[in-house]
């Protein structure tokens, strides 16, 4: 079979996507947030302990979408930098 590994990878992607979509639908049916992270739980525990922050942030994104956009932009810039470093490293090994 010429494309055996590719078909296996596509099948795994489909299975994992199905599992995540099924879990998301099941959780949303109960009315809870679908993929709440550990940050939310930690923030709730810290606030419940009575902690008062020393300073406030000087700028807060106007919405969650902007915050996600900035996070994705930061990840993309980091990926470009890491890719450039690995490419430079691999290119210099080939010419040596």
């Amino acid at each position: 079979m010429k494309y055996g590994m590719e078909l296996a990878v596509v099948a795994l992607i489909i299975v994992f996507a199905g599992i995540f979509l099924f879990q998301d639908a099941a959780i949303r049916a109960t009315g809870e947030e679908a993929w709440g992270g550990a940050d939310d739980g930690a923030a709730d525990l810290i606030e419940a302990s009575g902690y008062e922050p020393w300073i406030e942030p000087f700028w807060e994104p106007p919405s969650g979408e902007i915050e996600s956009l900035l996070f994705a932009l930061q990840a993309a810039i980091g990926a470009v930098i890491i890719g450039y470093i690995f490419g430079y490293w691999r290119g210099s090994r080939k010419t040596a």
Side-chain angles (χ1 to χ4, degrees):
M1 183 171 218
K2 188 174 181 180
Y3 297 107
M5 184 60 77
E6 288 85 356
L7 289 175
V9 169
V10 169
L12 278 173
I13 290 172
I14 290 172
V15 167
F16 282 124
I19 289 170
F20 286 129
L21 290 173
F22 177 75
Q23 279 186 330
D24 187 41
I27 291 173
R28 284 183 188 253
T30 62
E32 296 179 13
E33 188 173 324
W35 299 101
D39 292 344
D40 293 336
D44 292 341
L45 284 174
I46 291 170
E47 289 173 1
S49 70
Y51 174 77
E52 292 292 326
W54 294 356
I55 59 173
E56 295 293 324
F58 64 90
W59 181 73
E60 197 166 318
S63 68
E65 290 83 10
I66 301 296
E67 187 175 355
S68 296
L69 172 74
L70 293 173
F71 182 75
L73 183 64
Q74 176 185 358
I77 291 170
V80 166
I81 291 170
I82 290 172
Y84 176 78
I85 291 170
F86 278 123
Y88 182 80
W89 177 59
R90 184 174 173 118
S92 65
R93 279 191 13 207
K94 284 186 177 183
T95 58

